[in-house]
Amino acid sequence: MGVEAGAQAARARSLAVLRIRSRALAVALLPAAVAVILLAGAVGDRLEGPVWDAARWVLTPFAVLVLLAAAGIALVLARARPAMSPTVPVTEEAAPDLYRMVRDLADRLDVPAPSAIALTPDCDSWLEDRTHPAHAPPPAEEHRDIAGAGKQAHRRHPVAPVLVIGSPFLWWMRVGELRAVLAPVIAGTGPSAHPDIAAARRFVRGLDAAVAVASEPRRDPVSRAVLAGVGWVARILLRSCRVHAAELERGVAAAAAERAQAVDYGLRIVAQEQVGLAYAGWDRLLTRVALPAWRMGRWPSRLDAGVVAALTELSRRDRLAEGFASRLGERPACDLLEEPGTVDEAASLLAARLFHGGPAGPGPDWSPVDWSEYPDEVVDRKWRLDAARLHRVLDAMGVRPATGPTPPATVAPTLSRVLDHLTDTGPAWTAGNTGATGPAAGSTAPGPDTAPSGATGPPPGRPDPLDDEDLAGTTAPSATLAARLSAELAREEAAPSPAAPSPASPSPAPDPAALWDDRALPLFPLQPPRTARELLADHLTAMVCCAAMDTAGAAPGLDWLDGPTLLIDGERTADLAPKVLTLIEDGDATPLRVWLSQLGIRPEKPVRLG
């Protein structure tokens, strides 16, 4: 194949980046060069006199300082570890068919084959350079280039980048579709092998890593000052390279796309449709299904298999997706792996770390859960724990038992108690509203809302976060209960986990394979923290579901697209949320009570709490 226009543009931009590097080096060497000229002139009796002597005395120390600073910056650039994407490595022994397919694609595209394959728990694929010494494996474990030249144990030519594949693609896509999607990605190894492009990329990555090193907090004022200077220089160089580096990457992408046009062209359109569909299913599975489990200390161990179930369910519900179900008879790309379940489990654990911040491995408070166990181990347990927290808060507020002809002697965990407390006919609470001066509805004992005489603080009956606009438009009892639930959950999350090491205990030794900085997990949080209104709605829904399970024979269920769901007579309920919101916002429990009556749910009966 000829040289693509995109590759030519990328090489031109790489030369521009390298010229910036050369200019920076020239600026660093200029004082030293002038000092050498002045010193040489003194030796040859040519540059004599008080002016030249003063220039030598001033410029020589300055040149030494500049050289030392330049050497320090170069040392930081060389030693700083560039960022590396967290992935699950896949060896050739674990996926010989996948490696063979990638090798065949590289041969057909006439480009170097990737040096290795790794999976990422996301719907994307790319090439990643891991030639930095911090990223390289020990010499005894150096992997071989998958292009087939395995007999050259110690190569001197540049190592090809690693191919990173989105794990959902392997489970949802068919083999031909995956091949079509990977073709333009693998084609990028051609331009990446050019020395100028590789050098320019290394320089930019080194600058980025140096900025990250300089940004790390340090207690030592000397190192903090030195690294601040390094970071200042690196940022200036990065700003100078920004446009050229961006155009370089565009040129590489254009060259790769042009080279891959002739490979599996007919499948590429269909495959791109599958990319969008897989992304939608993956996002919904994480936010609706995986996130509730992660919050409980459980992580689904077969997330990628769940993508297939979610997208198959979508195919049944959405007429636009009907044609996609027929593809399921073809060979899935996960068949290219020797042990798909093991790889899926590793990718699922990594997804929990990236999107939720979970631990690196299973433990007493961080255990895997199978999809068949999800309704009982996650859904039922979540609802009962939320219901128990709701009643603990009501107890702390001194809320009385549910009204009835014969009130019980003890406060029973009934749904009626919650409904009676939240039923309110007063005006809606707004931020800054001081009209609610009495105790919360349904309260008979002085609780935390009842301030003693002479006490300072918010008026009785009002929630503490008065500036929380999220609670505007709710009733005073709802706002108060929502604020208390939010505070209670924050206290629980702040409490140290039994499985977590104490602050005084030594940290475990770092894993050599963990080459990415995981000190700020989650790296990609799925959702912002739940608001007080959302927490109240979740807890009230959980209480309703517990009452339905204990008094009407309902069961917890898993909906692949919507997450935890309540099953009554085997059918999922989809009309509960509006009635819960009506109670929270208007204090009107009538729609919810009618719904309960129609389904035979007894709100006055005690429920089992978690």
Side-chain angles (χ1 to χ4, degrees):
M1 293 185 180
V3 179
E4 297 85 0
Q8 294 177 346
R11 292 171 187 174
R13 293 293 180 172
S14 67
L15 292 177
V17 172
L18 295 178
R19 280 195 295 269
I20 293 175
R21 185 185 67 176
S22 300
R23 290 168 188 165
L25 180 61
V27 170
L29 296 178
L30 181 60
V34 175
V36 169
I37 293 174
L38 292 177
L39 293 174
V43 173
D45 297 330
R46 293 180 179 275
L47 302 178
E48 296 182 344
V51 175
W52 293 110
D53 291 339
R56 276 188 287 270
W57 279 102
V58 172
L59 194 57
T60 300
F62 176 73
V64 172
L65 290 177
V66 172
L67 284 178
L68 290 176
I73 294 173
L75 182 63
V76 172
L77 290 177
R79 294 177 61 89
R81 188 180 69 192
M84 189 179 82
S85 303
T87 56
V88 175
V90 179
T91 63
E92 187 165 4
E93 292 76 13
D97 292 342
L98 179 60
Y99 273 73
R100 190 176 301 110
M101 184 188 75
V102 171
R103 184 184 303 128
D104 292 342
L105 266 177
D107 290 342
R108 183 172 178 182
L109 293 168
D110 193 22
V111 296
S115 60
I117 298 177
L119 299 184
T120 178
D122 202 357
C123 293
D124 198 2
S125 297
W126 65 89
L127 294 172
E128 185 166 283
D129 187 357
R130 297 182 179 178
T131 57
H132 191 274
H135 298 162
E141 300 178 4
E142 182 177 2
H143 51 257
R144 301 180 302 177
D145 192 305
I146 63 174
K151 296 183 180 179
Q152 301 177 7
H154 301 283
R155 301 179 306 273
R156 295 187 178 272
H157 57 80
V159 178
V162 173
L163 174 63
V164 181
I165 306 174
S167 62
F169 293 164
L170 285 174
W171 269 259
W172 175 244
M173 289 186 174
R174 309 298 99 179
V175 173
E177 294 168 350
L178 180 65
R179 177 185 172 93
V181 167
L182 294 182
V185 181
I186 296 174
T189 61
S192 300
H194 191 274
D196 293 335
I197 294 177
R201 282 175 162 177
R202 283 195 301 269
F203 179 60
V204 173
R205 285 197 304 271
L207 292 175
D208 184 70
V211 171
V213 170
S215 302
E216 293 179 355
R218 281 178 170 79
R219 296 181 180 179
D220 182 11
V222 176
S223 61
R224 188 164 58 245
V226 171
L227 288 176
V230 173
W232 178 75
V233 174
R235 289 186 183 92
I236 291 178
L237 293 176
L238 269 180
R239 283 194 293 269
S240 302
C241 299
R242 181 178 301 166
V243 175
H244 297 301
E247 293 300 326
L248 184 155
E249 298 302 333
R250 290 192 184 96
V252 170
E258 182 179 353
R259 180 166 293 228
Q261 280 184 350
V263 178
D264 297 332
Y265 182 79
L267 278 175
R268 290 177 64 184
I269 298 178
V270 177
Q272 288 302 319
E273 293 177 349
Q274 301 308 314
V275 170
L277 191 64
Y279 182 86
W282 179 248
D283 179 72
R284 193 144 183 172
L285 184 76
L286 292 182
T287 55
R288 303 290 181 89
V289 179
L291 189 58
W294 293 340
R295 286 172 174 164
M296 295 189 57
R298 307 296 300 272
W299 51 279
S301 59
R302 295 293 186 271
L303 279 178
D304 292 305
V307 172
V308 179
L311 294 178
T312 303
E313 179 65 20
L314 179 64
S315 301
R316 296 192 184 101
R317 298 184 189 179
D318 191 350
R319 292 183 178 179
L320 296 177
E322 286 180 354
F324 298 133
S326 61
R327 307 165 38 260
L328 300 181
E330 303 174 14
R331 186 189 183 193
C334 63
D335 279 359
L336 300 174
L337 304 173
E338 290 292 299
E339 297 182 0
T342 303
V343 176
D344 193 0
E345 184 172 355
S348 300
L349 181 57
L350 180 57
R353 298 198 70 196
L354 297 180
F355 300 115
H356 186 66
D365 295 329
W366 188 242
S367 57
V369 60
D370 192 73
W371 290 125
S372 61
E373 302 171 348
Y374 187 94
D376 293 330
E377 296 293 328
V378 175
V379 180
D380 181 87
R381 184 163 167 254
K382 173 186 181 300
W383 286 342
R384 297 197 185 276
L385 289 176
D386 286 352
R389 184 182 301 110
L390 177 61
H391 280 279
R392 282 200 307 272
V393 172
L394 292 176
D395 292 340
M397 295 171 58
V399 176
R400 67 187 180 186
T403 58
T406 57
T410 60
V411 180
T414 65
L415 177 59
S416 294
R417 181 194 187 195
V418 183
L419 299 182
D420 290 348
H421 175 69
L422 294 180
T423 301
D424 182 66
T425 57
W429 182 86
T430 57
N433 177 25
T434 59
T437 58
S443 178
T444 57
D449 284 333
T450 306
S453 177
T456 59
R462 294 176 58 201
D464 296 335
L466 297 180
D467 58 342
D468 189 356
E469 295 295 334
D470 174 68
L471 295 176
T474 62
T475 63
S478 295
T480 303
L481 184 56
R484 295 300 182 85
L485 282 171
S486 182
E488 175 70 15
L489 188 61
R491 282 192 293 268
E492 293 179 7
E493 293 177 348
S497 171
S502 61
S505 62
S507 300
D511 182 4
L515 299 177
W516 49 283
D517 189 358
D518 59 353
R519 290 171 294 178
L521 292 173
L523 298 180
F524 312 103
L526 290 179
Q527 292 178 338
R530 288 174 292 179
T531 63
R533 183 197 296 258
E534 291 172 340
L535 285 175
L536 178 58
D538 290 345
H539 284 72
L540 182 54
T541 301
M543 188 63 202
V544 172
C545 293
C546 289
M549 291 187 294
D550 292 347
T551 67
L558 167 62
D559 186 277
W560 290 109
L561 299 177
D562 296 325
T565 186
L566 181 67
L567 301 178
I568 298 180
D569 294 332
E571 299 292 333
R572 61 187 297 265
T573 58
D575 54 350
L576 176 58
K579 299 170 178 59
V580 169
L581 291 179
T582 299
L583 176 59
I584 293 174
E585 296 173 354
D586 304 330
D588 183 9
T590 302
L592 182 55
R593 290 185 182 276
V594 172
W595 185 85
L596 297 172
S597 177
Q598 291 174 346
L599 297 177
I601 301 173
R602 304 284 298 277
E604 74 281 0
K605 295 290 186 180
V607 299
R608 178 174 59 87
L609 302 180

